[in-house]
Amino acid sequence: MTDEQAMYAVSRGDLDKAAILYERYKKPLLNFFLYRQNDRENARDLTQQVFLRMLRYRHTYREGASFRTWVLEIARNVFFDYLKQNPTHSDLADVPDMGESYDETEEQHQYLYHALARLPDGYREVLMLSRFQNMSYEEIGQTLGLSVPNVKVRVFRALQKLRDLYFNVSRDGYRSEESE
């Protein structure tokens, strides 16, 4: 059964099919939230909220629509609502320091994480969707309300900006970026 078939069944009242979608999407959604903020427990709560909203708004799912795009739109809304309720929390703002006991690869991941945290929201979002959620440009366009060429341009510019930020962070360290 495809995701779309399962969600169509859920939208028609077969709530048992929601378990199929939960098993398929709980990990990708958890990662979606972990890439946006660094609290695993909070990411679990936000993931649960997505599934609750999915059930609450199941009647809005249109047959033939991409379930993945639809559920990620819900996830974005859940996260934006979370940011409104927690104005002191900023998307990826509090990146933990890994301490002294990590190797060069872990250090590179830490630099990348800090560089991602400094990307403008629009750029970070298209990268998260295209590179970490493996969404096609068409799916990203549908989710964000953008044309495919616009998505391609944003991804290209986001990668350029990320590269520059990564090299600045790796050269100067991530603590010095805070003073800018």
Side-chain angles (χ1 to χ4, degrees), residues 57-129:
Y57 297 109
R58 65 184 181 268
H59 63 279
T60 67
Y61 179 75
R62 292 182 319 270
E63 184 179 12
S66 166
F67 174 75
R68 185 177 180 196
T69 301
W70 186 75
V71 78
L72 284 174
E73 187 172 337
I74 292 172
R76 289 179 70 234
N77 290 336
V78 165
F79 189 68
F80 291 144
D81 290 347
Y82 166 77
L83 289 177
K84 285 179 197 170
Q85 293 169 359
N86 300 282
T88 58
H89 176 82
S90 171
D91 218 2
L92 286 177
D94 300 319
V95 180
D97 191 350
M98 295 178 76
E100 300 286 329
S101 63
Y102 58 92
D103 64 20
E104 190 173 316
T105 302
E106 290 178 65
E107 184 176 40
Q108 290 170 344
H109 285 135
Q110 192 73 356
Y111 290 152
L112 178 60
Y113 199 76
H114 281 274
L116 277 169
R118 286 172 176 74
L119 267 180
D121 292 341
Y123 287 166
R124 183 172 45 250
E125 186 164 37
V126 295
L127 282 184
M128 295 294 183
L129 295 174

Side-chain angles (χ1 to χ4, degrees), residues 10 23 43 65 74 81 109 112 114 117 135 148-149 155 159 162 165:
V10 170
E23 288 304 315
I74 292 172
D81 290 347
H109 285 135
L112 178 60
H114 281 274
M135 290 179 73
V148 172
V155 168
L159 288 170
L162 180 63
L165 288 168

